Amino acid sequence: MGSPDPLGVGILGAGPVTQAIHLPSLARLRNILEVRHIMDVDSAVAESVAARVGAKHSTSIDALLGDPDVDIVAICSPHQFHADQVIAACRAGKKAVLCEKPFAMSGEEAARISAVSAETGVPIIVGAMHTFDPGWLAAEANWGDLPENVHTIRSSIVLPPNARFEDFATEIITRPASGNPDYSDIEVIKNFLRGGIMGLAIHDLPLVRRFTPDFEDLEVLQARHVRPFGYVISLRSGRPGAGDRIIELRAAMNKTWKPEWVFEAISDDAALRVDFTPSYVQAGSAVATITRGTTSTIYGPFEHNGYEGEWRELAQLALGTKQPPSAESLINDLTFAIAIADATVDLAAAEHANSHAGARS
């Protein structure tokens, strides 16, 4: 996979994810990838973070996209800018683009990105890191007919606030200020639920979709916000001739010390469990366990995690040694997430309205 000279990386946005996740991952891949340009709208942050890796810095997207030393662009800016920045990176003639999730906030934006990627030939991957984790890839290669027979799919996440792991990983320069949310306001709850799905659950939704490829008939059965940040969401997905599939999405971010991030898929005679490591502490790959009857087979841990895996994939895409994921797959993953988010907030709003109507009667 190597090349005579490392490929140059430019990063749009120098926040905590860049500082605590991407720079440490790239530091282990210096033989194939080199950070050459850091852009952030805060000039002090851009300069400080760039100095850690000996890169140029700027406050201008145009400066980064116009830098001939940048082959691969990583978009780590706020999500509302992702679509336009992905398109600009493609039009700038870069060799590959990584966009943090979500890469778009609507199906229309996703289709626009797909069209520009096809027009320019620039491959795009979305930073749902679990799909690049060697533990997950080993499960995918060995699960046999489980996707056809699964009846229950679970994503269960217990994490401390990001800041705790970010501070373990590196010295963070600035982070968004936290507020005091009004939990009695349904709009606050809806925003928390949508943010939880599009910001946290979205890491696992591409995994869920491997087991529910036809999701037009998705139904949300339960939607509950967990304070201070989390959710309990139950869904049913039916497929013609294949029976219902129950999907459970659970997350809690609180002061619990021990983190746990588990993905499960269960059929009548087989089960998959994938234990993922916390993102910010570079704790290695996931470990997958496939059980059939009384026999369990364990895959992993492997030498790197999903974040490093996505950077390895980007290098291969930029070098032309690997085919990019299909645009249709990326769009379907996004559409799936948006469908769940929309249905979840609609149910939460309806339940809130019913409870208040009952209180008034």
Side-chain angles (χ1 to χ4, degrees), residues 173-185:
I173 306 167
T174 74
R175 55 167 53 97
S178 58
N180 295 305
D182 177 4
Y183 293 118
S184 67
D185 185 343

Side-chain angles (χ1 to χ4, degrees), residues 82-83 86 99-105 109-110 113 126 330-331 334:
H82 285 182
V86 169
C99 185
E100 280 297 346
K101 44 72 189 167
F103 78 108
M105 292 303 289
E109 281 187 350
I113 291 169
V126 179
L330 295 181
I331 290 173
L334 178 71

